[in-house]
Amino acid sequence: MSELTTLAAVSPLSNRVLNMSESATIAMAKKGRELAAKGVDVINLSFGEPDFQTPQYIKDAAKKALDDGYTFYTPVPGIPELRQAICDKFKRDNQLDFQPSQIVVSTGAKQALANAILSLVNPGDEVIVFSPYWVSYEEMVKLAGGVPVALLGTRENDYKVTAAQLEAAITPRTKLIMYSSPCNPTGAVFSRADLGAIADVLARHPQVYALADEIYEYINFVGEHVSLAQFEAIAERVITVNGFSKGYAMTGWRLGYLAARQDIATACDKMQGQITSGTCSITQRAGVAALAGGRTSSDEMAAAYRRRRDLVLELVKDIPGLDTPTPSGAFYIFPEVAAYFGRTAPDGSSIRNSSDLALFILNDAHVSSVSGEAFGAPECLRFSTAAADDKLVEAFRRIKASLAKLT
């Protein structure tokens, strides 16, 4: 082989992207869309997206912004009105005091998470990721050169990591912990007692920071939402991430934010300035209106999600082999499905793991889900309950029939 041929055979792509996993939720949604394009009636329970329309008053604010010519670049960390509205929201909902300069508005909460990780994590730093975790957490840490350390909560504790587990996992190389509450994928909610105990651990380890993902804050079925930043001893080391996609049904608008100590917020502003700059001006005006409008629409959607959760839990009771904890928030169920591992499908293929099972359910029942492997819990599957009642009933009827075919 000539030298020229050898060079041509080498990929020009960076090791960074070659080593990066594709988002499992996006991958499964893509497979579902491919089947649907062939005329198959696919029920999509893989994507974490509200099925509600954005409330009309928010749309109206966006239309007004367009009519008013609000179409120019904005400051990188967000327009002043939105940053102040976010500060007001933190004070009202979370009893947290921030200045607008401590808020960085981003193109979705995902970018806010990435900004924080890239601003804090050096190559070789360990990041403790509470598991089960959202699919992008580990890949973001790897992108920053960090070492993700998955810490798995137990089924008996609704998959929530305990303070004792955290204490045992911290090493001199630990720089950051990250978690979501309410949790994607489990729906678990950390209580005041849970987070108080975790705060006590962090107080003993001043080199460790915390990244708290609160994107599902308004979809909470147990009442109180607690922010880790409320614990004064560690408040300066907590970066709180939130956004508009779940609570206000604004997924396509791409609007998130973080709040942090001034030096960390300034670093995230700097990071974002070199990648995307400020997010969409129209979206930001819509965000101001969303927060000004209060929580009425959010609470109505949360009530619908709770009803759907209860409906799905009743449906799952009739399906053998799905061990499903009761979610306290978000819009997912996360059953253990290991009872089906080792079984054989009608075409002779073997169900070796949850990925195989998710593909079987997609191809046989035409219902898309996501393998728990992507969330750090390989014995589970995640199903979204953000679908109409009739779709949920039909989806789990199909799943029950398909699983019965496995021998």
Side-chain angles (χ1 to χ4, degrees), residues 90-144:
F90 273 118
K91 182 66 173 178
R92 180 191 70 227
D93 293 347
N94 311 105
Q95 299 78 55
L96 294 173
D97 291 306
F98 290 105
Q99 297 300 313
S101 62
Q102 295 176 270
I103 306 297
V104 179
V105 175
S106 301
T107 306
K110 182 182 284 191
Q111 185 181 23
L113 291 165
N115 283 342
I117 292 167
L118 290 169
S119 296
L120 284 171
V121 176
N122 288 311
D125 285 347
E126 292 180 351
V127 178
I128 295 175
V129 182
F130 287 12
S131 175
Y133 47 75
W134 182 50
V135 294
S136 294
Y137 287 176
E138 280 204 337
E139 295 305 318
M140 288 179 177
V141 172
K142 292 176 185 176
L143 184 63

Side-chain angles (χ1 to χ4, degrees), residues 2-3 30 37 74 96 100 105 163 174 203 226 237 247 287 303-304 326 350 378 404:
S2 69
E3 182 179 355
K30 179 181 177 181
T74 72
L96 294 173
V105 175
T174 304
V226 183
R237 288 185 278 131
T326 298
S350 178

Side-chain angles (χ1 to χ4, degrees), residues 67-89:
D67 291 341
D68 291 347
Y70 210 84
T71 58
F72 298 96
Y73 288 139
T74 72
V76 171
I79 60 176
E81 301 96 317
L82 180 54
R83 296 164 82 190
Q84 183 59 61
I86 290 168
C87 289
D88 295 341
K89 178 266 174 212

Side-chain angles (χ1 to χ4, degrees), residues 196-216:
I198 287 169
D200 288 343
V201 172
L202 294 177
R204 294 193 289 273
H205 299 276
Q207 84 281 9
V208 182
Y209 289 73
L211 185 52
D213 181 351
E214 301 186 358
I215 190 67
Y216 290 91

Side-chain angles (χ1 to χ4, degrees), residues 22-89:
E22 181 182 11
S23 167
T25 53
I26 293 174
M28 283 301 292
K30 179 181 177 181
K31 291 179 188 294
R33 284 194 296 269
E34 289 171 352
L35 273 181
K38 297 175 182 177
V40 177
D41 177 23
V42 176
I43 300 176
N44 184 358
L45 301 185
S46 63
F47 230 24
E49 181 167 37
D51 62 324
F52 295 102
Q53 277 288 322
T54 303
Q56 188 61 45
Y57 76 94
I58 299 174
K59 295 180 184 179
D60 290 341
K63 293 175 185 176
K64 186 176 187 304
L66 278 170
D67 291 341
D68 291 347
Y70 210 84
T71 58
F72 298 96
Y73 288 139
T74 72
V76 171
I79 60 176
E81 301 96 317
L82 180 54
R83 296 164 82 190
Q84 183 59 61
I86 290 168
C87 289
D88 295 341
K89 178 266 174 212

